[in-house]
Amino acid sequence: MQSTPIKNGASDKDNKTEGRHRYGLGILLIICAVFIFSIMDALVKYLGSQSLNSIYIIGIRFTLTFFWTLLILKPWKHPEVTRTKHLGLHLIRAACMIFAAFTVFVALKYLSMPAMTSIVFAAPLIVSILAGYFLGEKIGPRRIVAVIIGFLGVLVVTRPGTSFFSLAALLALLTAVLNAFYSMTTRRLSDHDRPETAFFYTALAGIIVLLPILPFFWETPDSWTIWLALFVLSVLSTLAHGILTIAHKYAPASILAPFYYAQLISAIFLSVIFFKQVPDKWTLIGGSIVVASGLYVFYREHVRKKEKRESQSAR
């Protein structure tokens, strides 16, 4: 008579353990992805130092990325990845990614990787501001205060009125805005389309926009290391976004989001190792403020969703 509840209890425990393992795998994948993004930034910074045209580099990257995407998704065998009723949102998402690639390239010519990463981390704070209008999310006073403090952190990094504040810092901030719109369109699309579909249309839009103009900016590199860097950049771009897609199958976005901030650690590490650029105290202080504010915003969002679920279950 008592065997049934004991068995059920064990089953519940097993399910919780399995859930934790799945979440743990998703978190590990996110950390791997953001480390790859930091390597990509290092490659972009290296390519920028080689006096190559930014449109040429971005065009090569997206052309090769589209090739890898076709090999992975095989849309001729799986036509369902191309089916969508929200093509406009896919195009907006892709445009944000393409323009962000350009702003990152230019900004990294003049900014260190930690400074660039710290400024770009303002994206979740921008999402919090715009989510009320574009996503219909309610923004409470605590999140508003966290966003204000986060932007103060951005000001600490950029230091308006000093020699550090420049067009490059503004481009980094523009990258954060583009990433915010990229994030919001991704949220909207996640309710309707498969992640693979968004992956496909982003790569497709990139090649449609950049391939026709690429011949006008063609520059034949005079070093095999540049060719290798371009090749690796395209592979890593495809790999990182593929890992992100898989990670979100193992854990919800609310669990994974805070771990994106691990990129600041990898950016500092790679910046010191490859470019001998040690972040100054203002970058470290401002970056810490931005990260802390972003983590609090994610925490409040988690609390809000939990309260909403509890309220619905109580009815």
Side-chain angles (χ1 to χ4, degrees), residues 114-171:
M116 175 74 186
T117 304
S118 297
I119 298 170
V120 171
F121 275 163
L125 306 177
I126 297 171
V127 170
S128 291
I129 296 173
L130 300 178
Y133 181 77
F134 289 101
L135 301 177
E137 296 181 3
K138 184 179 178 181
I139 310 300
R142 294 179 183 178
R143 289 173 69 184
I144 292 175
V145 171
V147 168
I148 293 173
I149 293 174
F151 279 115
L152 290 177
V154 173
L155 292 177
V156 171
V157 176
T158 56
R159 304 193 294 282
T162 68
S163 59
F164 181 86
F165 189 74
S166 62
L167 178 60
L170 290 176
L171 286 174

Side-chain angles (χ1 to χ4, degrees), residues 260-293:
Y260 282 90
Y261 288 108
Q263 187 174 350
L264 183 57
I265 298 174
S266 58
I268 293 172
F269 174 77
L270 294 175
S271 181
V272 173
I273 295 298
F274 292 106
F275 303 105
K276 311 302 180 186
Q277 292 180 328
V278 179
D280 59 29
K281 64 179 181 179
W282 299 113
T283 298
L284 293 175
I285 293 172
S288 299
I289 294 173
V290 173
V291 170
S293 301

Side-chain angles (χ1 to χ4, degrees), residues 30-226:
I30 282 293
I31 293 173
C32 289
V34 298
F35 183 72
I36 293 173
F37 283 129
S38 289
I39 297 175
M40 290 171 58
D41 285 345
L43 287 171
V44 168
K45 191 169 182 64
Y46 163 73
L47 290 168
S49 68
Q50 303 303 304
S51 301
L52 291 173
N53 186 279
S54 57
I55 295 179
Y56 166 78
I57 293 176
I58 296 168
I60 292 292
R61 170 192 164 182
F62 275 91
T63 300
L64 292 175
T65 298
F66 180 70
F67 175 74
W68 304 130
T69 302
L70 290 181
L71 288 181
I72 293 170
L73 297 182
K74 296 181 175 64
W76 56 89
K77 286 187 178 180
H78 307 284
E80 64 274 9
V81 302
T82 66
R83 293 171 188 157
T84 180
K85 294 181 179 179
H86 304 276
L87 183 59
L89 276 179
H90 283 290
L91 294 179
I92 293 173
R93 181 177 181 271
C96 290
M97 186 175 182
I98 294 168
F99 283 111
F102 176 78
T103 54
V104 165
F105 179 89
V106 177
L108 277 174
K109 283 186 176 182
Y110 308 100
L111 298 178
S112 69
M113 288 174 56
M116 175 74 186
T117 304
S118 297
I119 298 170
V120 171
F121 275 163
L125 306 177
I126 297 171
V127 170
S128 291
I129 296 173
L130 300 178
Y133 181 77
F134 289 101
L135 301 177
E137 296 181 3
K138 184 179 178 181
I139 310 300
R142 294 179 183 178
R143 289 173 69 184
I144 292 175
V145 171
V147 168
I148 293 173
I149 293 174
F151 279 115
L152 290 177
V154 173
L155 292 177
V156 171
V157 176
T158 56
R159 304 193 294 282
T162 68
S163 59
F164 181 86
F165 189 74
S166 62
L167 178 60
L170 290 176
L171 286 174
L173 190 56
L174 177 57
T175 303
V177 174
L178 292 169
N179 284 352
F181 278 98
Y182 178 87
S183 176
M184 287 188 293
T185 52
T186 300
R187 283 193 197 181
R188 291 283 296 273
L189 287 168
S190 65
D191 295 331
H192 307 285
D193 290 345
R194 299 164 44 155
E196 294 84 355
T197 302
F199 195 23
F200 171 79
Y201 279 107
T202 299
L204 178 62
I207 199 170
I208 289 175
V209 171
L210 295 168
L211 190 58
I213 64 175
L214 185 58
F216 299 99
F217 296 91
W218 184 265
E219 301 177 33
T220 303
D222 55 4
S223 170
W224 68 269
T225 57
I226 295 177

